[in-house]
Amino acid sequence: EAGVTQFPSHSVIEKGQTVTLRCDPISGHDNLYWYRRVMGKEIKFLLHFVKESKQDESGMPNNRFLAERTGGTYSTLKVQPAELEDSGVYFCASSQDPEFTEAFFGQGTRLTVV
Amino acid sequence: GEDVEQSLFLSVREGDSSVINCTYTDSSSTYLYWYKQEPGAGLQLLTYIFSNMDMKQDQRLTVLLNKKDKHLSLRIADTQTGDSAIYFCAESANSGGYQKVTFGTGTKLQVIP
């Protein structure tokens, strides 16, 4: 069975441009999470989907970030316009039930804004 | 918000034991976790402990939890070069019926042959 996959693995964009990250969760997993790690710092929660609904988006930094999960399958995270401080590694995780003990992570997307 | 703190680096010799420490602030934590991240890979759950336990052992891994001091540790016995990675401590607490997870900064473990 395929794990959590993220696209692209790396992205380098200029300040002011738009970038869209994608996460394909494990099939059947209702819960999908986005996290971000800025260089050398902690991994920070961004938001949590249950199916297509946003259960918790308290970690989204500002309105330049837009996450969607149409149909409750894959999710996208769009940053528009990107700023230098948005650079980091964006992780996606999915789980079948609310207990995070069964969550699986993708390999992450490394975003560099120059 | 809740905080999870770890030291940034640890260097050990192959065959020795490694102990990675973590402190957290959330007194209502449900679970505490240790994740491993190898270069270019995602986070892999190594082990977790329920907050009402004080120890869990799984092969070479031993997790100790001191709930009073909010201190968690991960001991890796007979450390191997393949254990070189970043280790993240995390805690979760109930939030609206779901577990909301807070991670630390990660400890980079370097194993010297």
Side-chain angles (χ1 to χ4, degrees):
Chain A
E1 182 183 350
V4 177
T5 51
Q6 293 185 242
F7 306 95
S9 55
H10 294 86
S11 180
V12 181
I13 61 170
E14 291 185 352
K15 178 182 168 180
Q17 289 187 320
T18 297
V19 63
T20 300
L21 314 182
R22 173 171 167 147
C23 170
D24 286 66
I26 292 172
S27 177
H29 281 193
D30 288 341
N31 296 278
L32 188 150
Y33 310 83
W34 284 99
Y35 289 87
R36 175 174 74 172
R37 186 182 190 220
V38 173
M39 181 64 70
K41 299 202 172 177
E42 71 271 25
I43 298 172
K44 283 198 168 180
F45 169 81
L46 295 178
L47 89 160
H48 170 203
F49 283 101
V50 179
K51 297 185 180 176
E52 67 275 12
S53 300
K54 291 175 185 173
Q55 169 67 23
D56 182 352
E57 54 182 329
S58 60
M60 294 288 265
N62 51 59
N63 59 10
R64 294 185 295 104
F65 288 75
L66 175 65
E68 294 180 322
R69 192 183 182 195
T70 308
T73 54
Y74 70 91
S75 174
T76 57
L77 179 64
K78 182 161 71 172
V79 185
Q80 178 182 31
E83 298 289 344
L84 298 178
E85 65 263 25
D86 301 331
S87 296
V89 180
Y90 291 76
F91 291 103
C92 175
S94 74
S95 68
Q96 190 165 25
D97 57 36
E99 301 297 316
F100 205 80
T101 54
E102 297 293 328
F104 293 87
F105 277 81
Q107 83 283 7
T109 293
R110 181 175 295 277
L111 174 64
T112 304
V113 183
V114 297
Chain B
E2 304 306 335
D3 274 332
V4 176
E5 293 193 358
Q6 312 174 229
S7 55
L8 293 180
F9 298 102
L10 177 66
S11 182
V12 298
R13 293 207 173 274
E14 188 174 18
D16 288 350
S17 291
S18 309
V19 180
I20 304 172
N21 294 299
C22 167
T23 57
Y24 60 98
T25 59
D26 190 350
S27 56
S28 60
S29 294
T30 309
Y31 296 101
L32 295 115
Y33 311 77
W34 284 104
Y35 284 85
K36 177 183 182 183
Q37 185 191 18
E38 297 183 67
L43 281 79
Q44 173 198 354
L45 178 65
L46 280 179
T47 186
Y48 66 92
I49 188 169
F50 195 55
S51 59
N52 67 356
M53 296 170 63
D54 52 19
M55 187 182 98
K56 182 177 180 181
Q57 188 155 0
D58 183 3
Q59 298 182 331
R60 292 189 298 121
L61 306 179
T62 304
V63 177
L64 295 178
L65 174 60
N66 181 328
K67 197 169 181 179
K68 173 176 164 292
D69 294 339
K70 298 190 182 69
H71 182 268
L72 183 76
S73 68
L74 173 70
R75 178 177 180 269
I76 305 172
D78 187 24
T79 312
Q80 303 298 306
T81 54
D83 295 324
S84 293
I86 301 175
Y87 290 80
F88 290 93
C89 171
E91 62 89 18
S92 69
N94 187 290
S95 175
Y98 294 86
Q99 291 292 311
K100 188 165 185 178
V101 181
T102 303
F103 286 88
T105 55
T107 299
K108 186 171 185 177
L109 175 65
Q110 178 187 41
V111 182
I112 303 164

